[in-house]
Amino acid sequence: MALTQMALDSLDFDATVALATKVAPHVDILEIGTPCIKHNGIKLLETLRAKFPKNQILVDLKTMDAGEYEAEPFYKAGADICTVLGASGIATIKGVIAAAKKYGKEVQVDMINVPNKEALAKEAVAAGAHIIGVHTGLDAQAAGHTPFADLAAIAALKTGAKISVAGGVKAATTQQVKDAGAAIIVAGAAIYGAADPAAAAAEITKIAHG
Ligand SMILES: O=C([C@H](O)CO)[C@H](O)[C@H](O)COP(=O)(O)O
């Protein structure tokens, strides 16, 4: 059984709430994507937290510095998970972990553009990170990259932390990602780009939960 996470990557506040309303019953985690949270700020988190009490909410801060200072207000406002860039370094990662601990919440370390992913994953888990995010970003996807090789390498470490996988995942690849060790399966474009986002989310969740 893996959880599903829908990445809300629109910049528009109302369109994001409308899409979340369609998709929330069909996924476990609502992700406020990085461009979306930068554009709309903490008010969007407060709105989604109030409207969707049954879903976990991940705020994709991709924090690069000032970990505790940046993340704490988002945990306070109801985020269940905040992300920090692995590339930020262990001091910043530890800062976000400290903020999460104050609220009994979780930290995801995003491995995007980390040169030695295995070493960083071990260091972050030893520091208390809950989730390792294997992630091929939108720009890397456009250049033809996928997350599958990185997923195999991180899963082989057996760190004990959950593994989240993002980067162009769709219904056709959900089983492959799940079998490779993902505990959280992220889908953005495969859901928001579908003619029926609720049906697309339900299809992915059926495979992930199966
Ligand atoms: O995290 C993401 C990206 O860096 C912009 O914030 C996406 O939400 C993530 O890649 C999932 O989206 P898809 O790749 O479209 O499934």
Side-chain angles (χ1 to χ4, degrees):
M1 151 99 184
L3 301 181
T4 50
Q5 176 176 313
M6 196 283 168
L8 297 159
D9 275 330
S10 168
L11 297 182
D12 187 278
F13 190 106
D14 293 337
T16 298
V17 175
L19 180 59
T21 302
K22 283 185 194 161
V23 167
H26 307 289
V27 297
D28 302 291
I29 304 169
L30 292 170
E31 169 194 331
I32 308 176
T34 312
C36 185
I37 196 67
K38 284 188 179 180
H39 197 76
N40 294 292
I42 205 159
K43 191 174 184 310
L44 178 62
L45 168 61
E46 290 164 353
T47 301
L48 295 182
R49 181 70 290 159
K51 280 183 82 78
F52 306 108
K54 291 184 184 160
N55 295 90
Q56 287 191 66
I57 298 181
L58 177 144
V59 182
D60 195 10
L61 292 174
K62 292 193 179 79
T63 294
M64 187 59 176
D65 190 18
E68 187 169 3
Y69 186 56
E70 179 166 281
E72 179 160 4
F74 291 89
Y75 287 117
K76 193 174 178 187
D80 297 288
I81 306 163
C82 289
T83 66
V84 55
L85 288 172
S88 69
I90 200 66
T92 302
I93 293 169
K94 283 181 177 172
V96 180
I97 291 168
K101 271 189 184 159
K102 283 187 199 165
Y103 294 89
K105 303 296 186 180
E106 293 189 312
V107 175
Q108 176 171 316
V109 180
D110 188 325
M111 291 290 141
I112 194 168
N113 294 339
V114 171
N116 187 339
K117 293 180 174 53
E118 287 95 330
L120 197 275
K122 284 184 201 165
E123 194 179 18
V125 174
H130 309 82
I131 305 165
I132 298 299
V134 174
H135 186 189
T136 302
L138 298 173
D139 293 338
Q141 287 180 52
H145 299 287
T146 71
F148 300 111
D150 289 340
L151 171 57
I154 296 296
L157 296 177
K158 301 197 184 305
T159 63
K162 288 177 269 192
I163 300 173
S164 160
V165 180
V169 180
K170 50 192 178 213
T173 50
T174 297
Q175 189 68 49
Q176 180 186 353
V177 168
K178 185 182 163 190
D179 291 346
I184 301 171
I185 297 172
V186 184
I191 296 175
Y192 62 71
D196 183 344
E203 186 184 6
I204 290 169
T205 296
K206 192 175 172 195
I207 300 165
H209 286 189

